Structures are given as structure tokens and as C-alpha cells.
Amino acid sequence: MVLSKTPKKKTSKRGASRSRRALPNFLFPLIGISSCGLLIGALLFFRIPSLALTWLQERTISSLAEMGFAYNDLSVDGLERTDFDQVWHQIPLEEGECIFNSSLVQIRQQLITLPWIADANVQRRLPDKIQIHVKERQPLFLWQHKKKLHLIDSAGQIIPVTPDASLAHLPHIVGAGGNKLGKDFLHHLRPYQNITSLIKSATCIDQRRFDLQFKSGLQIQLPAQKLGPALSKLSQLLKSGENAMKRIDLRAPDRAYITPFEAPKGQRKRGL
């Protein structure tokens, strides 16, 4: 979806410029060039080159704006979670200001400070339009650490927003290291829909492996290595029904230890 908006109003200098047009228009370039030459020559004569260059730059920008290269339109696409007005307020230009008065790099740097924006492509559409395509960060999972809930994107970075109810469907990972290991762990889980649909949360243990907590109360202890084979074995075990099991320990590479609900404390049933 492409959104556009007329930029902010600025106290314009156009009225002042109109009041100077009493002479024929063809004389203005000659007068301007002569004046610029005289002033720059004087500044250089007195060895003030930096002032000469600054004055020339400001005069050039002012002239370009008067010629029609003035910012008057903003178009943005790629927005889903970012409000258009947030983008609009990041543009360091006001209506009527020369469109070259701010670099495209500067505008991009302003935009990526917004919490949801990962990157932005900024272009000028001369004479008067700024066009922006934004790439927003994609939320991947919720990470709980030290009693605080954070939103993690697909790059494993924290999105600095407060998670709301619309994000409650995301996987819930708990514990130190979960923000860094969570992306790869969820990638391993993706093929096993019969597992992911049952998970309430995943806890990162010693920043190297995960335990799963099912909605039914079943606990799964997964290994740090060879996670794929362990998940495949778990998928097969769940076909016999999860309600009869209290805990499944898959940390050993060649076997699974199952604790049924009926078993006395400490007693285990050896599985495949």
C-alpha cells in the first residue's frame, strides 16, 4: 500500500522573492551571477574561502527551490506496523524547502531509528517528491527473560516495542540465551506441526539446549546436539498419545526415557 501526504507547512520566503521581481526577468540571472562573483571574490581576497563556499551553497539551494525543486510531496510504501505520520515526522524537510537540502542517507538514518523499520530505500522524484520504500522487521517469537517479555525479530534482535495481544500467538521462549538460539531452534521445529501445535513454551537451558512445556503439562527434555533426530523420535512417540506421559527425556542419543503419570516418583519406563 502506498501512502502519501502533503508535507509540513513552513514559513516561506516566496513572498519576499516575488516582491523583488520588478525588473525584467532576464536581468536577474545576470545580476545574480555578478553579485555572486563579486562577493566570492571579496571573500577569497580576504582569505575566507569557507565563508565563500558556505554562502555559495546556501544561495544555490535557495535558487533551486525558487526554480521548483521544492519539497511538496511524500510517498511511502511497505508500511504494516509503522504509522505513516511516524515516517512523515522523520523527514528533515518542510514544505517549500529545497528538496536537495537533506541527503537521502540522512533521511534513511532517521527512518531506521523507528522501532519497526529494518531498512528504507529513499529516492527523490524530481522536482518535488520524496519516495520511500520501507522494509519492516518481522516478529519471530516472544522471549521472556528476568521477568520481562521482549519481542524478537527474524534477525534475533529485540524490537523495542511492548508486545500486545495481537502478538500472543507467537512462540514463547524463556531463559538466558533464548534470544540468540531461538531462531535456529524454531527452524528445526517447523516441519513437526504435531509438536508445535502442542507447545506452551520452550525454556533455554544453560544457553545450549531446550526443554518444552506442552499445554497438557507434558515436559520434554531435548538434547543440545542432534536435535533433528530427537524431534523425529518425539513426533513418533506422540502418535501413541501425550496424555499418559508426564515427561520424556530425549537427551540420550540412542534412547528415550518416559515418565508416565501413573508411575511412582523416580520410576521410569525405557522407550525407544
Side-chain angles (χ1 to χ4, degrees):
M1 179 173 64
V2 179
L3 300 174
S4 63
K5 187 172 184 178
T6 301
K8 297 158 280 188
K9 287 287 183 181
K10 179 184 178 182
T11 302
S12 177
K13 297 181 181 178
R14 293 179 181 175
S17 64
R18 291 195 187 101
S19 66
R20 293 194 298 267
R21 294 179 180 176
L23 295 174
N25 290 337
F26 71 90
L27 291 179
F28 282 95
L30 296 177
I31 295 172
I33 292 171
S34 300
S35 300
C36 289
L38 289 172
L39 185 54
I40 292 172
L43 291 171
L44 290 175
F45 178 80
F46 290 106
R47 298 183 180 181
I48 317 177
S50 61
L51 291 177
L53 292 175
T54 300
W55 182 89
L56 180 60
Q57 181 182 17
E58 291 176 352
R59 180 58 190 163
T60 300
I61 288 174
S62 177
S63 298
L64 287 170
E66 291 175 359
M67 293 169 61
F69 296 99
Y71 172 58
N72 284 306
D73 191 14
L74 173 65
S75 176
V76 186
D77 66 86
L79 298 180
E80 293 183 15
R81 300 179 184 274
T82 304
D83 186 75
F84 179 84
D85 282 347
Q86 289 181 287
V87 175
W88 182 50
H89 287 298
Q90 294 299 314
I91 307 300
L93 293 171
E94 295 183 350
E95 184 183 9
E97 190 172 350
C98 179
I99 199 169
F100 298 105
N101 209 24
S102 181
S103 74
L104 302 182
V105 172
Q106 180 187 1
I107 295 174
R108 175 188 171 274
Q109 289 174 340
Q110 287 283 99
L111 291 172
I112 61 178
T113 63
L114 295 174
W116 283 104
I117 294 184
D119 202 357
N121 178 269
V122 185
Q123 297 180 341
R124 296 185 186 96
R125 289 287 181 258
L126 299 179
D128 63 354
K129 185 176 183 178
I130 298 290
Q131 182 170 304
I132 300 172
H133 173 75
V134 302
K135 180 181 179 182
E136 291 193 330
R137 303 166 73 176
Q138 298 302 311
L140 187 61
F141 61 89
L142 297 168
W143 175 50
Q144 183 177 333
H145 182 52
K146 294 183 178 180
K147 298 182 179 181
K148 291 184 178 180
L149 196 62
H150 306 279
L151 187 61
I152 307 298
D153 67 11
S154 55
Q157 301 297 315
I158 294 176
I159 302 175
V161 299
T162 301
D164 56 28
S166 67
L167 301 167
H169 66 283
L170 293 174
H172 187 183
I173 293 178
V174 181
N179 56 323
K180 297 180 179 180
L181 301 179
K183 179 180 179 179
D184 187 59
F185 177 66
L186 293 175
H187 176 75
H188 280 89
L189 274 175
R190 191 171 296 123
Y192 301 99
Q193 294 298 316
N194 66 323
I195 297 177
T196 57
S197 62
L198 303 174
I199 296 174
K200 178 182 179 182
S201 64
T203 301
C204 187
I205 307 296
D206 298 328
Q207 302 189 40
R208 56 189 296 270
R209 68 173 194 86
F210 286 89
D211 283 355
L212 300 178
Q213 180 75 37
F214 280 15
K215 298 170 187 176
S216 65
L218 174 61
Q219 296 180 350
I220 312 294
Q221 295 174 290
L222 295 170
Q225 304 294 329
K226 298 182 179 180
L227 184 57
L231 290 172
S232 179
K233 184 181 292 184
L234 175 61
S235 180
Q236 293 296 319
L237 289 171
L238 291 176
K239 291 180 180 179
S240 62
E242 58 165 318
N243 293 329
M245 296 178 285
K246 181 178 181 180
R247 181 181 292 107
I248 302 177
D249 187 347
L250 295 166
R251 290 174 293 176
D254 58 345
R255 65 193 68 190
Y257 292 99
I258 301 173
T259 303
F261 273 111
E262 299 80 10
K265 186 176 180 180
Q267 182 178 339
R268 288 182 172 178
K269 176 181 178 181
R270 181 169 295 182
L272 297 177

